[in-house]
Amino acid sequence: MTEPRPRHCATCGRALNPREVYYRFNLVLEGEQDVLDSGDEAEDGDRDALAELVQRLEDGPEDASELEDQVHWERAGVVCSACRIVVVRMLDEGAATPRPH
């Protein structure tokens, strides 16, 4: 019987022993916006605004993958027991906890 391939913690990078407990994660961040500008413009105005937006995106410095990452970003992997505690604590804290931003 062959040994499973070595795994590494996505947070600290430590090699995980095949007999060690590890935790799988899937994280997806998707951009959303609840309120859109609802101005009283006619459909032609909407088309003009959309055409202007597309032109700004084409002329802008960002490449398409950077813009896509702003709307949809996902990662999957494994973390060790020690890093799991830190990740869960960080994602589980209440809104009253001061944030870095």
Side-chain angles (χ1 to χ4, degrees), residues 22 39 52 96 101:
Y22 61 89
E52 180 184 332
H101 52 77

Side-chain angles (χ1 to χ4, degrees), residues 39-52:
D40 295 331
E41 299 175 4
E43 283 186 27
D44 288 340
D46 291 341
R47 281 191 207 108
D48 292 343
L50 182 58
E52 180 184 332

Side-chain angles (χ1 to χ4, degrees), residues 7-21:
R7 299 182 192 281
H8 291 82
C9 177
T11 303
C12 69
R14 184 173 66 78
L16 303 172
N17 182 314
R19 290 179 174 79
E20 181 178 0
V21 174

Side-chain angles (χ1 to χ4, degrees), residues 1 12 21 29 49 60 64 67 73 100:
M1 180 176 195
C12 69
V21 174
L29 300 177
L67 295 172
W73 180 91

